[in-house]
Amino acid sequence: MTTLDSPAFGATDFDRPGRARMAICWAVLVFTIPYLGLKVLWVSGVDIGVHGSVMRGGTMATVNLVTIAMDVIAGTVSMGLVRPWGRRVPAWLLIFPMWVATGFLAPIVFGAPTSTLAGSLFDDGVSGQIKSSADDIAPWVFGMVYTGFILQGLGLAAGFLLHARARWGHILRWRLSNLPTGPLAGVQRTMATWVGVFTLIPSLINFYWAAGGPGSLYDDGAAATRLVMHTVFGILPLVGVAGMLIVTRRRDARPARWPLITAWTGTASSFSWGLWWLGAGAVPSKLSGGHDMHALMAVGSMMMLAGAVLATVLALLVIEADTATEAEV
C-alpha cells in the first residue's frame, strides 16, 4: 500500500508520459505566456493596454511581480505533473500550490464566462471592472487575461486529476466508509460544523453585494458582473462546507471522491480569494480608485480563516484515512 509521499506508479509513467498528459502540460505553459508577457511589460514601464500611470509606482510593481511569481508557480506545477522530478518531490509541494491555484481559478472558470454573457445581455456590453475606472484598463486586457485564466484552470485541473489517478488512485477509489471513525472523527465533525456556520457570514455578505449592497469588489463595474461574481464567491465556500460535512459525518458505501473534490475546491476558493482581498485592502493601489477597502478586508479575513481551518481538517482526515488503510494491508 502507498501513502501520499510514496508514489504508486513506476518510473515509466512519467519518464514516458502519454500524449494527453504532455499536451495538457504544454497547453498550460502556453496559456501563461500572454499574462506573463503583459505583466513583464508593465513592470518594465510599458503602458500597453492601460491609460495613464495606473501601472506605475512601487505598489503596482510589487503587485505585478507577485502575480508574475504566481503564474510561474502555476507553470512549474504543470511541469511537475508530468516530469520525473514531480514524482520525487514531497506530496505537499505539489498539493499546496495546486490547492491555492484551484482556489484562485475556480471562481473565474465558473464566473467569468457567465458574467460576460450576462453583461452582454443585460448591461449593453459594459464589462465589469474590479475597483477601477473603465478608463484605466482597456477591455481587451480583461478578455485576454480571463480567457488565459480559464484555460489555465481547466488545464491544471485535468493534469492534476491524471497525476492524482496515477499517484494516489487508491484515494479516488475510497468509499465514505473508508474514512476514519476514530477519536479525532468527533473533533473533525465539530470543527466542520462550527466553521460551516461561520462561513455563512462572509457568504451572506457576498450575496448582499451581489444584490447591489455597497462595499463590493465590483462597485464600479457592471451590475451583471457584480451579481454573477459575488454569487460565485458566496456559493463556492458553502459548497466546500457541504463537502466537509459529508466526509466528516457520513460513513456509507457511496464514493468519497466527489465530496472530497467539492471540499477541496470550496475551501481553496475561500482561502485564496480571502487572502487576496485581505492583501488588496491592506496595500492600497491605484486600481482601488480611492475606495474604502475595510469591508473587503473583513470579508476576506473571514473567508481565509474558514478556508484554512476546513482545509486543515480535510488534510488530517485524508492522512488519517490513508494511514489506517495502509495499516490494514
Side-chain angles (χ1 to χ4, degrees), residues 193-266:
T193 300
W194 284 108
V195 177
V197 173
F198 177 77
T199 302
L200 286 172
I201 300 172
S203 287
L204 288 173
I205 295 174
N206 269 295
F207 296 145
Y208 169 71
W209 285 340
S216 163
L217 180 66
Y218 299 90
D219 270 348
D220 292 335
T225 300
R226 170 201 287 260
L227 172 63
V228 172
M229 293 307 300
H230 276 297
T231 299
V232 170
F233 288 132
I235 288 176
L236 279 178
L238 297 180
V239 168
V241 169
M244 288 299 302
L245 291 177
I246 292 174
V247 298
T248 57
R249 289 182 173 275
R250 294 186 179 274
R251 292 296 179 267
D252 52 40
R254 283 178 292 181
R257 58 181 176 272
W258 292 115
L260 289 173
I261 289 172
T262 56
W264 165 286
T265 304

Side-chain angles (χ1 to χ4, degrees), residues 42 45-61 64 132 135-137 285-287:
W42 286 346
V46 179
D47 294 325
I48 182 173
V50 298
H51 304 288
S53 60
V54 67
M55 289 298 167
R56 299 292 182 92
T59 299
M60 286 310 304
N64 286 328
S132 173
D135 294 330
D136 289 337
I137 301 178
S285 69
K286 294 177 182 179
L287 289 180

Side-chain angles (χ1 to χ4, degrees), residues 96-263:
F96 180 72
M98 187 63 215
W99 177 72
V100 173
T102 301
F104 277 122
L105 295 173
I108 296 174
V109 169
F110 292 128
T114 307
S115 66
T116 299
L117 176 61
S120 66
L121 293 175
F122 303 112
D123 289 333
D124 296 326
V126 178
S127 61
Q129 309 281 325
I130 302 177
K131 289 288 188 184
S132 173
S133 168
D135 294 330
D136 289 337
I137 301 178
W140 66 263
V141 172
F142 287 94
M144 183 186 75
V145 166
Y146 284 104
T147 298
F149 284 161
I150 291 169
L151 295 175
Q152 282 183 52
L154 295 175
L156 283 171
F160 185 70
L161 284 174
L162 291 174
H163 182 96
R165 187 174 65 179
R167 188 169 185 175
W168 307 297
H170 62 289
I171 293 178
L172 297 177
R173 293 189 295 271
W174 279 349
R175 301 286 176 175
L176 291 174
S177 56
N178 294 125
L179 300 180
T181 57
L184 289 179
V187 177
Q188 292 165 351
R189 285 195 299 271
T190 301
M191 292 290 290
T193 300
W194 284 108
V195 177
V197 173
F198 177 77
T199 302
L200 286 172
I201 300 172
S203 287
L204 288 173
I205 295 174
N206 269 295
F207 296 145
Y208 169 71
W209 285 340
S216 163
L217 180 66
Y218 299 90
D219 270 348
D220 292 335
T225 300
R226 170 201 287 260
L227 172 63
V228 172
M229 293 307 300
H230 276 297
T231 299
V232 170
F233 288 132
I235 288 176
L236 279 178
L238 297 180
V239 168
V241 169
M244 288 299 302
L245 291 177
I246 292 174
V247 298
T248 57
R249 289 182 173 275
R250 294 186 179 274
R251 292 296 179 267
D252 52 40
R254 283 178 292 181
R257 58 181 176 272
W258 292 115
L260 289 173
I261 289 172
T262 56

